[in-house]
Amino acid sequence: FLPRAAERVGSITMAVSEKLSDLLRRMPGVTDFVNRWEDIPKDSEAYATLSDLPLLFGGEEPDMVAPACYLPIEEPRKAAWRARLDGHAGGHLKVGLCWSGRTGHLHNRLRSLRLATLASLAGLSGVSFFSLQFDEQKRQVADWPQGQAPLVDLSAELEGFDETAHCLAALDLVITIDTVTAHLGAAVGTPTWTLLLRIADWRWLESREDSPWYPTMRLFRQDEQ
């Protein structure tokens, strides 16, 4: 929605976490950043939160359809990541895994799973898995069983959302629970399989396997909880 807003208002000053500013500064129309809403210039001609924009642009599903990749990626950085991942995977399919959200999240235990639940994936041939896990849950990588499909821990190399976005763009597939990794993977155009609670967040709508927000995403919903 930011490029569409820029077409109407010209330059945009964005209030956003410092962690996100490097990722978003390539968005068309975004010319400046502040870290808090209160620091937005007082002489601005218009104000809106990001969550206001879908309604301001119509509020119906056709108004929300996004391009397959809407976060600008620097191709040389993506190519560098693909070369690094190919060094581990060779010619195998490169699949990223994220099984837990932020540990401090109030409902994290409901949306997350143990890596052991995915252990059977280690028996697949022609696939190399890469851990995209952050927080203390990344320690579970040590429990990945020996098998045909290795699991490479990338956590030490994924510093900041911008670097993570370029890594995700270089993968063939991302499999993740409902956390930031799902949004970031799909926003850079990588096929993303998102594992959802039976009673999912409102943004995933109901009884469908796709998302108007992300053309490359497929949703997998719990049968029971």
Side-chain angles (χ1 to χ4, degrees):
F1 295 103
L2 287 175
R4 293 164 66 182
E7 290 177 2
R8 295 193 182 188
V9 303
S11 63
I12 295 174
T13 296
M14 195 170 183
V16 67
S17 163
E18 189 174 359
K19 295 180 180 179
L20 288 168
S21 58
D22 285 344
L23 176 65
L24 297 176
R25 69 176 63 255
R26 291 185 298 275
M27 292 295 294
V30 177
T31 59
D32 199 10
F33 290 92
V34 294
N35 296 139
R36 301 184 309 159
W37 175 261
E38 294 80 3
D39 296 331
I40 290 286
K42 299 300 186 288
D43 59 350
S44 298
E45 296 181 4
Y47 300 85
T49 65
L50 280 176
S51 56
D52 288 332
L53 294 182
L55 181 59
L56 291 174
F57 283 109
E60 301 296 329
E61 184 171 324
D63 304 312
M64 301 180 193
V65 174
C69 175
Y70 66 77
L71 282 180
I73 292 296
E74 296 177 339
E75 289 300 323
R77 293 175 64 187
K78 175 181 174 180
W81 263 108
R82 182 165 285 275
R84 290 158 73 180
L85 299 177
D86 282 337
H88 292 290
H92 291 173
L93 191 72
K94 297 175 284 296
V95 179
L97 293 180
C98 180
W99 56 90
S100 176
R102 177 170 51 86
T103 305
H105 189 283
L106 181 62
H107 301 297
N108 191 54
R109 66 179 182 82
L110 298 177
R111 61 176 177 166
S112 299
L113 47 84
R114 300 286 299 177
L115 179 59
T117 309
L118 304 175
S120 61
L121 297 178
L124 296 177
S125 60
V127 182
S128 288
F129 292 101
F130 295 88
S131 171
L132 307 171
Q133 189 58 49
F134 49 91
D135 211 333
E136 61 191 55
Q137 305 301 333
K138 63 186 179 184
R139 293 199 296 264
Q140 295 178 40
V141 172
D143 300 326
W144 186 257
Q146 295 295 320
Q148 296 186 75
L151 176 63
V152 179
D153 184 6
L154 296 176
S155 60
E157 301 178 68
L158 301 180
E159 295 186 8
F161 287 114
D162 193 27
E163 196 64 41
T164 302
H166 284 83
C167 172
L168 296 181
L171 289 166
D172 298 312
L173 173 68
V174 172
I175 302 175
T176 176
I177 57 104
D178 182 6
T179 189
V180 63
T181 304
H183 298 281
L184 200 55
V188 297
T190 299
T192 300
W193 293 358
T194 303
L195 314 180
L196 296 179
L197 286 165
R198 182 170 178 269
I199 303 175
D201 187 80
W202 64 268
R203 77 194 72 206
W204 304 121
L205 307 179
E206 295 181 341
S207 305
R208 57 190 293 171
E209 296 180 354
D210 65 335
S211 168
W213 307 101
Y214 303 118
T216 63
M217 182 176 283
R218 181 178 178 187
L219 303 176
F220 293 82
R221 300 174 183 270
Q222 279 182 328
D223 293 327
E224 58 185 48
Q225 188 169 333

